[in-house]
Amino acid sequence: MYEGAVQDLIDELGRLPGIGPKSAQRLAFHILEADADDMKRLVAAITTVKERVKFCQICGNVSEQETCSICRDTRRDPSVICVVEESKDVIAVERTRAFRGRYHVLGGAINPIAGIGPDQLRIRELLARLNDDAVTEIIIATNPNLEGEATSTYLARMLQSIGIKVTRLASGLPVGGDLEYADEITLGRAFEGRRSAIG
């Protein structure tokens, strides 16, 4: 335990996701030892992001405008929506350059233990986007973990009655991976998504 401002900084850093007590302490002492101008730029960047950045009114992605650049891009295919958990997932999909449709960011995944149910996600907003008949396919791209699978199953069952094609991203074994280290969900999905070995 440290005194005053140092302990307050450690406590605040420790509230960040993925930062434990030791990491918070290391970061706090890095900040203390760092050049003052570097830390002023860090403070300015944090202040700016909190003041300027909001969530896109259409898809929920981060944006400095009312709608994000992807939703404003008229070259994107409005008939296909890729549903992801978080804004960082949009970036991951965009890096592949394999998807030219639009996105919908849920803002998390169903996790009853953490008190997150369907009502805490942006599912109503997704349904509202399906009212204009422009959307023909929903691609569910939630994470391949228990929460992502629960969210995917919930969405697939709910969207089934609407009559829109619902697909799920294929998942399987990573290149260079060993079967013995694959978890059950990944290995099971790899079997489900198998394809011809020729061609």
Side-chain angles (χ1 to χ4, degrees):
M1 296 292 286
Y2 297 91
E3 291 182 8
V6 174
Q7 188 61 46
D8 290 345
L9 178 58
I10 292 170
D11 292 343
E12 289 304 314
L13 290 169
R15 294 174 55 196
L16 295 172
I19 304 293
K22 288 188 178 181
S23 294
Q25 184 176 320
R26 269 195 304 277
L27 286 169
F29 279 95
H30 172 78
I31 290 169
L32 282 171
E33 295 165 5
D35 182 67
D37 289 337
D38 290 344
M39 292 304 102
K40 285 178 184 171
R41 282 194 296 276
L42 175 61
V43 169
I46 292 171
T47 303
T48 301
V49 82
K50 291 304 291 177
E51 290 172 353
R52 287 192 199 164
V53 177
K54 47 190 145 258
F55 295 99
C56 175
Q57 290 182 343
I58 298 170
C59 73
N61 194 10
V62 291
S63 176
E64 289 190 28
Q65 298 181 30
E66 295 300 316
T67 55
C68 71
S69 59
I70 294 172
C71 286
R72 291 193 312 268
D73 188 346
T74 56
R75 297 168 298 174
R76 305 293 294 224
D77 182 358
S79 70
V80 183
I81 295 178
C82 180
V83 178
V84 297
E85 293 179 22
E86 305 287 351
S87 294
K88 61 188 176 190
D89 301 325
V90 171
I91 300 302
V93 175
E94 283 295 289
R95 275 198 308 259
T96 69
R97 293 194 166 103
F99 179 69
R100 295 300 302 158
R102 305 273 172 94
Y103 292 92
H104 188 83
V105 180
L106 293 172
I110 294 172
N111 185 347
I113 294 171
I116 301 171
D119 292 340
Q120 283 74 47
L121 303 178
R122 298 186 69 254
I123 293 174
R124 281 188 298 277
E125 292 84 347
L126 174 62
L127 293 174
R129 292 179 70 183
L130 305 179
N131 287 335
D132 63 1
D133 295 330
V135 179
T136 59
E137 180 182 3
I138 299 287
I139 301 170
I140 301 174
T142 53
N143 291 322
N145 55 27
L146 289 174
E147 293 82 10
E149 291 294 321
T151 306
S152 172
T153 301
Y154 179 86
L155 288 173
R157 287 183 180 154
M158 185 187 62
L159 296 170
Q160 190 175 29
S161 61
I162 296 175
I164 293 173
K165 181 181 178 184
V166 179
T167 58
R168 178 84 163 103
L169 280 188
S171 64
L173 302 169
V175 174
D178 293 327
L179 286 180
E180 66 179 301
Y181 299 117
D183 62 273
E184 294 84 8
I185 292 175
T186 301
L187 197 50
R189 292 281 291 277
F191 270 101
E192 289 169 13
R194 67 188 181 278
R195 56 186 170 78
S196 172
I198 301 168

